[in-house]
Amino acid sequence: MATIQVFNAAAPTTSDVVTASITSAVANAVKITLQASPTVVSPNSGGTAGVSTLTATVTDAANQPVGGATVAFTINNPTGGGETVSPAVAQTLTVATSTQALGQAKATFTAGSLPSSASGVKIRATVVDVPTVQTGSGTSGLDATIVIGGTAGSVAIGRSTVIQDSANST
């Protein structure tokens, strides 16, 4: 990022400022990492579904951001409950915003109606038309994992040593 200011030497109060962003070329992309936030969402029930923001970051060999790369998001092991990723394809930014950095592409995961296993649903982000890009080696690992939960994993019923009637007859 660079801030460029120009002014009129005859009238220094007359000026203008522009911010320029410089990213590495798409052909230089070597790595993509993917993170999901949050990593646990509720299943879709009655029109209310859990959502997670997916953030893919594409970088070059010097770990500099790559802008203008086309990123495809795929669900590797769906539950069959109708989960989706939208958009399925997004461009990495060439100009940073207040919510997104250079070289990032974002998508939204929406949970389906079925809960996942404890190992979750795996989402992968890949750079389209650049087969040499390696998927993540950072904190997100190879895939982002999202657990669709909200239901009890197990229920245990045991015996009591004292029989007692509570005030609400439970």
Side-chain angles (χ1 to χ4, degrees):
M1 299 285 291
T3 302
I4 302 166
Q5 181 178 14
V6 293
F7 65 93
N8 183 341
T13 58
T14 304
S15 67
D16 199 6
V17 176
V18 66
T19 302
S21 302
I22 301 171
T23 63
S24 189
V26 174
N28 295 334
V30 296
K31 185 171 74 171
I32 184 170
T33 56
L34 179 63
Q35 294 183 331
S37 180
T39 57
V40 177
V41 297
S42 60
N44 184 346
S45 70
T48 303
V51 295
S52 179
T53 300
L54 303 170
T55 304
T57 305
V58 180
T59 55
D60 65 10
N63 214 30
Q64 297 301 312
V66 174
T70 303
V71 176
F73 296 92
T74 56
I75 302 173
N76 287 346
N77 61 334
T79 65
E83 52 277 342
T84 61
V85 173
S86 180
V89 177
Q91 293 281 327
T92 58
L93 289 187
T94 56
V95 177
T97 67
S98 61
T99 59
Q100 200 169 335
L102 293 173
Q104 289 185 338
K106 288 196 177 194
T108 301
F109 171 84
T110 304
S113 59
L114 298 176
S116 68
S117 67
S119 60
V121 174
K122 307 287 187 215
I123 311 295
R124 179 161 289 179
T126 55
V127 178
V128 176
D129 293 332
V130 186
T132 57
V133 174
Q134 308 229 342
T135 54
S137 60
T139 57
S140 65
L142 293 176
D143 300 315
T145 301
I146 300 172
V147 175
I148 303 172
T151 58
S154 65
V155 176
I157 300 174
R159 297 184 196 180
S160 173
T161 57
V162 177
I163 297 177
Q164 180 178 338
D165 183 21
S166 64
N168 63 0
S169 298
T170 59

